[in-house]
């Protein structure tokens, strides 16, 4: 069974083994700028919006020069709105612009804009780390999960970070959905890449939805004919 599971993992990594940070053009390192860019990406991804749109908005903010907390805070509300709009992030652009501005000010005031200081303040305790991240406006439980999934490759004590969405993807592909059993299948794969592959599998559309929609339409047509 484990051999079969490892083959499933190999195929998943080949198809979906790419972090969202990489997709957004963030060269993730344990330095202030890429960590901040990841935080912004996590905020964008946590909204009810397509992940591709959130990634495009992250790129647009970076291209506008808002790559660190100081530049984000110094930007005007409208400049942030405009950048989000260029990325197609229009449904939540005004609220998100406000959150990004307030969040940047908070990080500057508490951590001098350096998320490594927040990391240090947690003292290696995951509960504290999650609580400190939750203080960032717009970063709810989903956003915290996204950030920690992506950052676990450079903050080793976070790994393996296998949240509900990760386990959902594993279950969808017939893999163990018990964290320790699933983690063993990662072998030497970057834990962030491994988690991203599972999440993308969870979000992958299948023919089930399409089939259900077709069946529903057929039933509606039959009902219409019966009443005519």
């Amino acid at each position: 069974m484990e051999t079969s599971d490892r083959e499933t993992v190999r195929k998943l990594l080949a198809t979906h083994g790419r972090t969202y940070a990489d997709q957004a053009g963030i060269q993730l390192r344990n330095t202030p700028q890429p960590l901040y860019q990841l935080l912004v990406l996590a905020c964008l991804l946590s909204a009810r919006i397509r992940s591709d749109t959130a990634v495009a908005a992250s790129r647009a903010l970076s291209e506008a020069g808002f790559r660190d907390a100081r530049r984000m805070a110094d930007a005007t509300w409208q400049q942030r709105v405009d950048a989000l709009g260029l990325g197609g992030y229009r449904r939540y652009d005004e609220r998100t612009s406000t959150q990004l501005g307030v969040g940047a000010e908070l990080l500057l005031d508490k951590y001098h804009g350096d998320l490594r200081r927040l990391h240090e303040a947690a003292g290696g305790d995951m509960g504290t780390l999650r609580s400190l991240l939750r203080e960032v406006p717009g970063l709810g439980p989903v956003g915290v999960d996204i950030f920690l999934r992506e950052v676990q490759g450079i903050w080793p004590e976070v790994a393996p970070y296998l949240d509900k969405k990760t386990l959902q993807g594993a279950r969808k592909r017939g893999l163990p959905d018990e964290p320790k059993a699933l983690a063993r299948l990662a072998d030497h794969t970057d834990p962030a890449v491994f988690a991203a592959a599972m999440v993308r599998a969870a979000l992958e559309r299948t023919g089930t939805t399409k089939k259900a929609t077709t069946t529903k339409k057929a039933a509606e047509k039959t009902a219409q004919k019966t009443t005519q």
Side-chain angles (χ1 to χ4, degrees):
M1 179 62 71
E2 186 165 320
T3 301
S4 176
D5 287 345
R6 290 184 184 281
E7 179 62 18
T8 298
V9 168
R10 187 189 66 77
K11 291 179 179 178
L12 267 178
L13 289 171
T15 306
H16 296 305
R18 187 185 189 190
T19 64
Y20 287 96
D22 181 62
Q23 185 182 349
I26 301 170
Q27 296 182 1
L28 196 55
R29 299 185 300 276
N30 195 31
T31 54
Q33 190 174 106
L35 286 173
Y36 178 71
Q37 288 178 288
L38 176 61
L39 186 76
V40 170
L41 176 62
C43 289
L44 297 174
L45 283 167
S46 62
R48 294 179 180 275
I49 199 163
R50 287 173 55 88
S51 61
D52 287 349
T53 301
V55 167
S58 171
R59 283 182 171 273
L61 287 166
S62 293
E63 289 168 3
F66 312 145
R67 300 185 187 92
D68 57 49
R70 171 52 62 196
R71 292 177 184 177
M72 186 70 79
D74 288 346
T76 67
W77 178 84
Q78 190 60 54
Q79 285 174 327
R80 293 192 294 266
V81 168
D82 291 343
L84 289 165
L86 286 174
Y89 205 87
R90 296 183 180 86
R91 185 177 176 186
Y92 302 100
D93 55 353
E94 296 185 356
R95 183 184 70 183
T96 301
S97 175
T98 299
Q99 290 174 337
L100 289 174
V102 175
E105 293 287 0
L106 180 145
L107 291 175
L108 288 167
D109 290 343
K110 292 193 67 173
Y111 308 109
H112 302 286
D114 188 347
L115 282 164
R116 292 176 302 180
R117 292 173 179 258
L118 181 151
H119 183 211
E120 291 169 5
D125 182 77
M126 284 297 297
T128 303
L129 180 57
R130 290 182 62 86
S131 295
L132 293 177
L133 288 169
R134 284 290 304 276
E135 293 178 2
V136 179
L139 199 71
V142 172
V144 168
D145 280 340
I146 293 169
F147 180 84
L148 293 176
R149 280 200 313 257
E150 296 271 319
V151 83
Q152 63 181 312
I154 56 173
W155 289 356
E157 77 281 5
V158 174
Y161 194 83
L162 303 170
D163 63 324
K164 290 181 179 179
K165 185 61 71 173
T166 307
L167 299 178
Q168 180 186 332
R171 186 164 53 250
K172 186 176 178 180
R173 290 305 185 93
L175 295 169
D177 59 0
E178 193 280 319
K180 289 184 178 180
L182 182 61
R184 283 197 295 269
L185 295 175
D187 288 331
H188 301 296
T189 303
D190 182 324
V193 172
F194 181 78
M198 298 301 147
V199 170
R200 290 181 186 276
L203 298 175
E204 185 180 44
R205 291 187 177 186
T206 64
T208 305
T209 303
K210 184 177 180 181
K211 182 178 180 180
T213 303
T214 303
T215 303
K216 182 179 178 181
K217 288 181 178 179
E220 289 173 350
K221 287 182 180 180
T222 300
Q224 288 175 357
K225 289 179 180 180
T226 303
T227 56
Q228 289 174 353

